Amino acid sequence: MGYGNVSERLKQPPQVGVSVVILALDPDSEHGRLWLPLVRRVRQPFLGCWALPGGDIRADRTLAQSAYEALESTTDLHPSYLEQLHAFGGPDRSHGGLPMVSIVYWALVGQAEAGDFAEADNVRWFPEDELASLDIAFDHREIIAYALDRLRTRIEYPDIAAKLVGPTFTLRQLHGVYEAITGTVLDLPNFRRKMLGSGELEETGDVLREGRHRPAAVYRYVPRKDAPAHPYAYAISGSRLAELDARVRAIAQRDTADAERGADDLSALTTE
């Protein structure tokens, strides 16, 4: 059933969708910069503007599965961290379209996984400090700012920063992540002392040469024994994220098989 004028549309139940703020670290920057992918809109409203990756919510999907599918369909990346951020609604954000509520997730992608920020179709990666010059659709600029603020409030926990740099890292690499997140230059010796004193890093026994610097010890994040297993109710990482990935892939295979069976049935009906 179609909708009438704007006044009538605003009285209808809102559509509900999911959006994802995907954050990755610039692998080529000495002090690090955060990048995120945006999608160029191909229809009104905001035709030609940039928007967050997103998609619909289906009855046979959980919210997390919908967010994961939106992420993979946009970037073909596998996040190291996924968390429900906030629900954004209100009659003004649709700009004359159908009222819309967005359940937003934020995701962290490891440095090695992000690679060279390859572009595809209408998807392009942008550095966080250059977003001000872009035409960004809806209230997505505010949503991005909300996600960045959430990340910065978590910077005191080494496990969050480690998810941006990868499973193993040097202290200089971790230092670059902290500078990228905070947007400030941090004294490296003081940073080293703080991280080593946290009790959450352990040496792997490997070393890595970084440019002209002498080989540096490689570390991994190890949670303290007194750390809660799931400190944030809607955070997904580690084995739980691997399980989510497996579920999403199984659903995609099932949907593909169903579509192929439907095409075969249609062909049988229309072939003489």
Side-chain angles (χ1 to χ4, degrees):
M1 181 179 67
Y3 293 99
N5 58 34
V6 173
S7 177
E8 291 174 341
R9 288 198 297 268
L10 291 178
K11 296 177 182 178
Q12 301 298 323
Q15 291 184 324
V16 181
V18 64
S19 297
V20 189
V21 182
I22 307 167
L23 299 171
L25 187 70
D26 183 349
D28 299 321
S29 175
E30 179 181 355
H31 296 290
R33 287 199 299 176
L34 289 172
W35 289 63
L36 68 159
L38 297 175
V39 181
R40 188 186 294 275
R41 287 186 57 80
V42 296
R43 61 178 180 271
Q44 296 289 2
F46 294 105
L47 175 66
C49 294
W50 296 98
L52 290 168
D56 296 328
I57 293 175
R58 288 175 36 172
D60 60 348
R61 304 285 200 274
T62 67
L63 291 175
Q65 288 169 351
S66 297
Y68 198 90
E69 288 179 340
L71 185 154
E72 280 207 318
S73 66
T74 303
T75 66
D76 197 29
L77 295 176
H78 307 288
S80 56
Y81 186 85
L82 183 68
E83 182 181 346
Q84 190 178 126
L85 179 68
H86 193 65
F88 294 83
D92 296 332
R93 68 189 306 264
S94 63
H95 289 263
L98 292 174
M100 184 74 183
V101 172
S102 293
I103 309 299
V104 180
Y105 279 73
W106 64 296
L108 301 181
V109 177
Q111 193 173 40
E113 175 72 29
D116 59 355
F117 302 121
E119 299 178 12
D121 297 328
N122 290 315
V123 179
R124 185 183 301 175
W125 286 82
F126 295 95
E128 172 264 330
D129 56 1
E130 295 182 9
L131 296 180
S133 63
L134 298 181
D135 292 324
I136 298 181
F138 304 107
D139 55 354
H140 290 189
R141 189 183 302 277
E142 289 75 21
I143 293 175
I144 293 169
Y146 194 101
L148 290 170
D149 184 67
R150 175 67 60 86
L151 176 60
R152 286 166 183 144
T153 63
R154 301 280 177 83
I155 190 59
E156 62 184 281
Y157 303 102
D159 64 319
I160 295 296
K163 287 177 172 58
L164 277 168
V165 73
T168 59
F169 45 84
T170 66
L171 288 177
R172 183 176 293 276
Q173 289 173 332
L174 193 62
H175 176 257
V177 175
Y178 274 74
E179 289 192 330
I181 294 174
T182 62
T184 60
V185 177
L186 303 175
D187 181 72
L188 183 56
N190 287 337
F191 176 82
R192 289 177 180 272
R193 285 192 292 270
K194 180 179 179 180
M195 289 296 102
L196 294 177
S198 69
E200 295 182 286
L201 302 182
E202 73 172 14
E203 291 192 47
T204 65
D206 297 328
V207 295
L208 179 67
R209 181 176 293 278
E210 300 172 303
R212 297 181 179 180
H213 302 285
R214 66 182 182 180
V218 176
Y219 293 84
R220 67 169 62 93
Y221 169 75
V222 178
R224 297 193 310 268
K225 293 182 179 179
D226 59 347
H230 303 298
Y232 310 113
Y234 295 101
I236 307 172
S237 62
S239 60
R240 296 176 66 205
L241 197 55
E243 292 172 3
L244 176 61
D245 179 81
R247 290 195 202 103
V248 169
R249 293 183 183 281
I251 290 172
Q253 291 175 356
R254 184 197 66 196
D255 287 351
T256 299
D258 290 345
E260 290 175 348
R261 281 195 296 270
D264 291 342
D265 292 343
L266 180 60
S267 176
L269 290 172
T270 57
T271 301
E272 294 183 355

